[in-house]
């Protein structure tokens, strides 16, 4: 009977086909990577210009070029301290409000202590500023703004060197005898035709001097 052999052959062929399909890798659905893009190179930003002053430490607050005590315009707290660094372009301080406990809650500028109603208005700080409150009694505090430093006036230009004096005019050369010459050569106070005459500038004078006609 051929039936068992035919059935076995069909099974072998089906198994071979399945094995072939299983050995084929599935098609890839991943896109190949594109060309590598380098990150954008940004030029470094220039450093900001130095400020006139800034809160270096402590709870004091800064708004632009104005600095105020903690909680201003409300009362500051006990045992608070701040350090304010001062830049080279700092000008005089403009005080908008100042009220602290006299003798105890102190703002120190250039080594001078300011407290109570005595403020550093108009003072140009040259070193760091200190603020400190003690353990009791508080006030509304202070607010100060920085002014710009006044630029130094330009040096005056040097004065121009004085011009040398003009040389004094020398004496007029004497006229040629018998030829009308300049009228500033006196001859004993003689006058010819209403003008001072030299010794021999007129022909008739020359004849008299040399004895010729």
């Amino acid at each position: 009977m051929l039936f068992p052999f035919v059935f076995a052959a069909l099974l072998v062929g089906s198994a071979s086909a399945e094995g072939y399909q299983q050995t084929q890798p599935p098609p890839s659905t991943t896109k190949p990577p594109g060309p590598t893009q380098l990150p954008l190179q940004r030029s470094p930003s220039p450093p900001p210009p130095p400020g006139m002053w800034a809160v270096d430490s402590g709870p004091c607050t800064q708004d632009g070029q104005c600095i105020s005590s903690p909680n201003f315009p409300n009362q500051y707290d006990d045992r608070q301290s701040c350090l304010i660094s001062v830049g080279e372009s700092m000008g005089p301080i403009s005080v908008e409000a100042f009220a602290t406990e006299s003798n105890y809650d102190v703002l120190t500028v250039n080594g001078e202590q300011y407290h109570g109603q005595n403020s550093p208005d108009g003072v140009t700080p040259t070193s760091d500023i200190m603020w400190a409150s003690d353990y009791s009694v508080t006030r509304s505090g202070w607010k100060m703004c920085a002014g710009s430093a006044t630029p130094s006036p330009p040096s005056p230009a040097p004065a121009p060197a004085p011009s040398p004096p003009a040389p004094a005019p020398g004496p007029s050369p004497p006229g040629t005898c018998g030829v009308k010459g300049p009228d500033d050569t006196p001859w004993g106070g003689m006058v010819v035709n209403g003008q001072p005459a030299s010794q021999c500038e007129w022909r008739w004078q020359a004849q008299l001097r040399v004895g010729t006609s």
Side-chain angles (χ1 to χ4, degrees):
M1 292 179 65
L2 297 177
F3 177 74
F5 297 101
V6 173
F7 181 72
L10 291 174
L11 290 178
V12 172
S14 176
S16 300
E18 291 180 359
Y20 174 77
Q21 292 177 357
Q22 292 177 358
T23 57
Q24 294 296 322
S28 175
T29 58
T30 304
K31 293 178 64 176
T36 304
Q37 294 184 355
L38 297 176
L40 295 177
Q41 299 293 330
R42 296 183 178 179
S43 58
S45 301
M52 289 180 277
W53 62 357
V55 177
D56 198 24
S57 63
C60 294
T61 58
Q62 182 168 5
D63 182 11
Q65 291 301 335
C66 295
I67 298 177
S68 56
S69 57
N71 303 326
F72 182 86
N74 300 319
Q75 292 188 351
Y76 51 84
D77 292 334
D78 297 330
R79 294 187 175 91
Q80 289 183 322
S81 62
C82 297
L83 175 65
I84 302 171
S85 59
V86 176
E88 295 180 356
S89 59
M90 180 70 182
I93 296 174
S94 175
V95 176
E96 297 188 2
F98 197 91
T100 72
E101 183 189 9
S102 296
N103 301 317
Y104 298 101
D105 299 340
V106 175
L107 185 74
T108 304
V109 182
N110 295 344
E112 186 76 18
Q113 293 186 345
Y114 297 89
H115 48 83
Q117 302 293 325
N118 181 28
S119 73
D121 187 50
V123 176
T124 300
T126 57
S127 59
D128 292 344
I129 299 172
M130 295 285 297
W131 159 250
S133 60
D134 72 345
Y135 60 90
S136 66
V137 184
T138 60
R139 298 287 187 267
S140 58
W142 44 266
K143 181 178 181 180
M144 308 181 299
C145 298
S148 300
T150 304
S152 301
S155 301
S163 302
S172 301
T176 303
C177 191
V179 178
K180 180 69 176 74
D183 293 335
D184 59 351
T185 54
W187 180 47
M190 296 190 63
V191 176
V192 178
N193 291 338
Q195 298 179 354
S198 59
Q199 295 184 17
C200 63
E201 63 180 342
W202 295 96
R203 184 173 295 277
W204 62 270
Q205 292 175 318
Q207 292 175 350
L208 291 177
R209 288 179 64 83
V210 299
T212 60
S213 55

